[in-house]
Amino acid sequence: MFDLAANKKEAEAREQIRLSLQARQQALSTAVARLLVQNNEGEEDAAARISAIYDGVQRQLYLFLTATLIGIVLTSLYMIRSNRRLFAQLATLSEQRSELAQQLIATQEATLRHISRELHDEFGQVLTAIGSMIGRAGNHAPEGSSLREDLTEVREIAQSTLDNIRGLSQALHPVLLEEAGLESTMDWYIPNIERQTGLTIRYEKSGVPFPVDTAQECIFIASCRKH
C-alpha cells in the first residue's frame, strides 16, 4: 500500500486499503468484541465465585460463633450446676458438723455431769461423814491432848479436801445450774473464775429474764469454760 502510494498509484493504494485493511479491521473488531464478551463473562464468573466464597466464609463464621456460644452456654450451665452441688454438699457438711459439735458437747456435758454428781454425792458424803466422825472422836478426847489436836488437824484436812472436791465438782458441772438456773450460776461462776485465773471479768445483766433449756445452759457453760 505504501509502495503504491509512493509510486503515485493512489487509486490502487485506496483499493488495497478498502479490500485488505478494512477486512482486517473488522476481524480485529470482531475478535476484540469476542474477547470483551469473554472478559465480561469471566468477570461475572469471578464475581459469582467471590460471592460464593464470601457466603461460605460468612456461613462458616456464623457456625463457628454458634458453636462457640453453645459451648459457652453449656460450660456455664455445667459450672452453675457443679457450684450448686458443691454448695449443697458444703451446707450438708456444715449441718453435720454443727450436729456433731452439739452431740459432742452434749456427750461431754453428760460425762462431766456424771463425774460431778459422783464427786458431789459419793466423795462429798464420805468426806462429810469422815469429818463428822472425826469431830465426834475429838469431842471424846481429853482437852489439850495431842490426840485431839491430831484429830482436829485431820478434820481440817478432810474439810479442805471436801471444799476442793466441791469446787472441782462445781467447775466440771455446776449443780447450781439445774437447781437455780443460768442467772444464779453465772453470779456464782464468774467470781470463782476471777479468783482462779486472776482476771477481771465484767458481767452486766439487762432485760427481762426468761426460762432457758438446761441443755442450752450446759452448752453455754461449756463454751465459757473452753474460752
Side-chain angles (χ1 to χ4, degrees):
M1 179 187 64
F2 287 107
D3 291 338
L4 292 175
N7 294 323
K8 298 182 179 181
K9 295 180 180 180
E10 295 180 356
E12 293 179 1
R14 291 190 181 93
E15 186 67 18
Q16 185 70 27
I17 291 172
R18 186 177 62 83
L19 294 177
S20 178
L21 292 181
Q22 290 181 353
R24 292 182 181 180
Q25 183 181 5
Q26 292 177 357
L28 288 173
S29 299
T30 302
V32 169
R34 185 173 61 252
L35 291 175
L36 289 175
V37 171
Q38 291 179 357
N39 186 31
N40 291 331
E41 292 178 353
E43 289 181 355
E44 292 177 357
D45 187 34
R49 290 183 180 181
I50 291 172
S51 178
I53 292 172
Y54 284 156
D55 293 338
V57 171
Q58 187 177 9
R59 185 169 55 253
Q60 294 292 333
L61 182 60
Y62 286 155
L63 291 176
F64 176 74
L65 291 177
T66 303
T68 303
L69 291 176
I70 292 174
I72 293 173
V73 171
L74 292 177
T75 304
S76 301
L77 292 176
Y78 176 76
M79 292 296 295
I80 292 172
R81 183 178 178 183
S82 299
N83 290 333
R84 287 182 177 177
R85 186 182 303 171
L86 180 60
F87 288 146
Q89 292 177 356
L90 290 176
T92 303
L93 290 176
S94 179
E95 292 178 358
Q96 292 178 356
R97 179 179 177 274
S98 178
E99 293 177 358
L100 289 175
Q102 292 183 359
Q103 292 177 2
L104 179 61
I105 293 175
T107 304
Q108 181 181 2
E109 286 302 314
T111 304
L112 294 178
R113 187 186 302 112
H114 177 72
I115 296 174
S116 176
R117 286 291 184 183
E118 290 294 329
L119 290 175
H120 185 271
D121 296 339
E122 298 295 333
F123 291 97
Q125 293 177 3
V126 169
L127 290 174
T128 302
I130 291 174
S132 299
M133 293 173 64
I134 292 174
R136 288 196 301 268
N139 293 330
H140 292 292
E143 187 71 28
S145 62
S146 60
L147 177 60
R148 187 165 187 171
E149 293 179 357
D150 292 339
L151 291 175
T152 302
E153 185 178 356
V154 172
R155 185 180 180 183
E156 291 176 355
I157 294 174
Q159 184 63 37
S160 177
T161 305
L162 177 61
D163 294 338
N164 292 331
I165 288 179
R166 285 179 177 174
L168 179 60
S169 174
Q170 294 294 332
L172 292 176
H173 180 77
V175 180
L176 188 64
L177 182 63
E178 298 177 355
E179 296 177 352
L182 178 62
E183 188 174 354
S184 299
T185 304
M186 294 297 296
D187 293 335
W188 169 86
Y189 194 74
I190 290 176
N192 290 334
I193 293 297
E194 288 182 341
R195 186 174 59 256
Q196 293 174 3
T197 60
L199 298 175
T200 301
I201 301 176
R202 295 181 179 178
Y203 170 58
E204 297 180 358
K205 295 182 291 184
S206 62
V208 180
F210 58 91
V212 182
D213 188 9
T214 305
Q216 298 297 328
E217 294 176 354
C218 294
I219 293 174
F220 178 75
I221 294 296
S223 300
C224 292
R225 188 185 299 115
K226 289 180 180 180
H227 291 293

